[in-house]
């Protein structure tokens, strides 16, 4: 018996090497992953899928691993670093949807672990996600930047290592932020991509965005191995360099 992985996308593919290690877990790596391109129908489908998965886990005694968000939609209005126990007023429909699903799962009676993810980066990402979308814009000669926007980037390989460690501890009923803990201005991300890709792009600015920092205090206490992952102010550069080195040439060459 292996871990059941719901979904076949970016995160699901990266989780597959762990399947044999966590047979008592169902990982819900399916649903809404596009914070700015969602609809009520998308939200309803994910809620229904979560309800079905929770029912099966409750009936079989398995644990449901659910992926939520630690991004602006969840923590953008929090005063100070966004902690798992922070009072939350979601900033976007996507953030409100994910928080509602967290509460739905908590009320379901199923054993569960909720991970609030930062912005995952890695080879094989769908084109609508942050870094591929930025690169596509830049290769066309211009990029749109929200002046106040920041993003917490984390390598999907580090995320998989963290998930492996958390699942091995048998955690249930917990919510954990999985992020680097560094809020990187989007303009700085564009700076690095421009240099590494050898591009010179026109920047179109919008007076929008929100500055927020994701607390990793709980993550670091639960997974001491994060101390060796290089999280800090320069970590995002390594993440971007790894993406460029392994990405499809059509998006990153």
């Amino acid at each position: 018996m292996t871990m059941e992985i719901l979904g076949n996308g970016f995160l699901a593919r990266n989780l597959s090497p762990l399947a044999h290690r966590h047979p008592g877990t169902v990982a819900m790596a399916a649903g809404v992953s596009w914070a700015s391109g969602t609809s009520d129908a998308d939200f309803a489908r994910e809620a229904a899928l979560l309800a079905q998965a929770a029912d099966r886990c409750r009936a079989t005694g398995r644990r449901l691993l659910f992926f939520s968000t630690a991004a602006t939609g969840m923590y953008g209005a929090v005063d100070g670093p966004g902690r798992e126990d922070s009072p939350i007023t979601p900033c976007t429909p996507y953030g409100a949807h994910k928080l509602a699903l967290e509460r739905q799962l908590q009320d379901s009676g199923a054993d569960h672990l909720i991970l609030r993810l930062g912005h995952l980066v890695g080879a094989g990402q769908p084109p609508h996600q942050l870094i591929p979308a930025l690169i596509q814009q830049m290769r066309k000669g211009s990029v749109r930047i929200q002046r106040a926007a920041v993003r917490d980037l984390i390598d999907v390989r580090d995320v998989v290592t963290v998930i492996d460690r958390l699942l091995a501890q048998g955690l249930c009923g917990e919510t954990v932020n999985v992020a680097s803990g560094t809020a990187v201005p989007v303009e700085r991300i564009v700076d690095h991509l421009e240099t590494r890709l050898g591009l010179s792009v026109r920047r179109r600015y919008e007076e929008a965005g929100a500055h927020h920092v994701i607390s990793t205090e709980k993550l670091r206490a639960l997974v001491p191995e994060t101390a060796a992952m290089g999280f800090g102010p320069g970590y995002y550069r390594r993440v971007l360099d790894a993406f460029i080195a392994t990405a499809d040439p059509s998006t990153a060459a």
Side-chain angles (χ1 to χ4, degrees), residues 28-41:
M28 185 170 155
V32 177
S33 65
W34 190 0
S36 61
T38 53
S39 68
D40 289 343

Side-chain angles (χ1 to χ4, degrees), residues 17-148:
L18 300 183
H20 69 286
R21 292 172 53 81
H22 306 288
T25 297
V26 176
M28 185 170 155
V32 177
S33 65
W34 190 0
S36 61
T38 53
S39 68
D40 289 343
D42 294 327
F43 291 157
R45 278 192 292 272
E46 186 174 16
L49 179 63
L50 178 61
Q52 293 167 5
D55 284 347
R56 288 198 296 114
C57 285
R58 187 175 60 249
T60 59
R62 290 183 292 174
R63 171 181 50 180
L64 182 54
L65 174 62
F66 177 67
F67 298 104
S68 185
T69 182
T72 304
M74 185 70 75
Y75 285 134
V78 171
D79 184 16
R83 297 168 48 93
E84 295 85 351
D85 57 359
S86 297
I88 292 173
T89 302
C91 296
T92 66
Y94 178 74
H97 165 68
K98 287 296 189 182
L99 184 59
L101 291 187
E102 290 184 15
R103 291 171 176 166
Q104 174 183 324
L105 178 55
Q106 289 162 350
D107 291 341
S108 72
D111 288 342
H112 63 272
L113 174 62
I114 297 169
L115 302 185
R116 292 178 178 166
L117 304 179
H119 282 271
L120 275 57
V121 181
Q125 279 191 274
H128 67 260
Q129 292 186 350
L130 176 67
I131 300 306
L134 275 178
I135 291 175
Q136 287 175 9
Q137 287 185 57
M138 293 173 68
R139 293 186 66 79
K140 293 177 181 177
S142 68
V143 65
R144 186 177 66 256
I145 298 174
Q146 295 182 343
R147 287 190 186 276

Side-chain angles (χ1 to χ4, degrees), residues 54-235:
D55 284 347
R56 288 198 296 114
C57 285
R58 187 175 60 249
T60 59
R62 290 183 292 174
R63 171 181 50 180
L64 182 54
L65 174 62
F66 177 67
F67 298 104
S68 185
T69 182
T72 304
M74 185 70 75
Y75 285 134
V78 171
D79 184 16
R83 297 168 48 93
E84 295 85 351
D85 57 359
S86 297
I88 292 173
T89 302
C91 296
T92 66
Y94 178 74
H97 165 68
K98 287 296 189 182
L99 184 59
L101 291 187
E102 290 184 15
R103 291 171 176 166
Q104 174 183 324
L105 178 55
Q106 289 162 350
D107 291 341
S108 72
D111 288 342
H112 63 272
L113 174 62
I114 297 169
L115 302 185
R116 292 178 178 166
L117 304 179
H119 282 271
L120 275 57
V121 181
Q125 279 191 274
H128 67 260
Q129 292 186 350
L130 176 67
I131 300 306
L134 275 178
I135 291 175
Q136 287 175 9
Q137 287 185 57
M138 293 173 68
R139 293 186 66 79
K140 293 177 181 177
S142 68
V143 65
R144 186 177 66 256
I145 298 174
Q146 295 182 343
R147 287 190 186 276
V150 298
R151 297 292 183 267
D152 186 311
L153 305 184
I154 184 166
D155 192 310
V156 70
R157 295 170 297 183
D158 291 334
V159 170
V160 169
T161 298
V162 165
I163 291 170
D164 188 32
R165 301 297 187 272
L166 291 173
L167 292 178
Q169 294 177 39
L171 293 178
C172 278
E174 296 282 355
T175 300
V176 184
N177 291 334
V178 179
S180 75
T182 299
V184 183
V186 171
E187 185 163 26
R188 201 176 304 162
I189 294 171
V190 171
D191 287 344
H192 191 72
L193 290 173
E194 193 175 45
T195 298
R196 288 287 284 109
L197 296 172
L199 300 173
S200 179
V201 302
R202 185 174 73 258
R203 303 182 186 206
R204 296 175 287 122
Y205 290 95
E206 298 177 357
E207 300 301 328
H211 185 282
H212 75 291
V213 176
I214 302 168
S215 171
T216 58
E217 182 180 355
K218 185 173 183 177
L219 173 65
R220 287 183 280 111
L222 289 169
V223 186
E225 293 92 333
T226 55
M229 290 180 177
F231 294 164
Y235 172 76

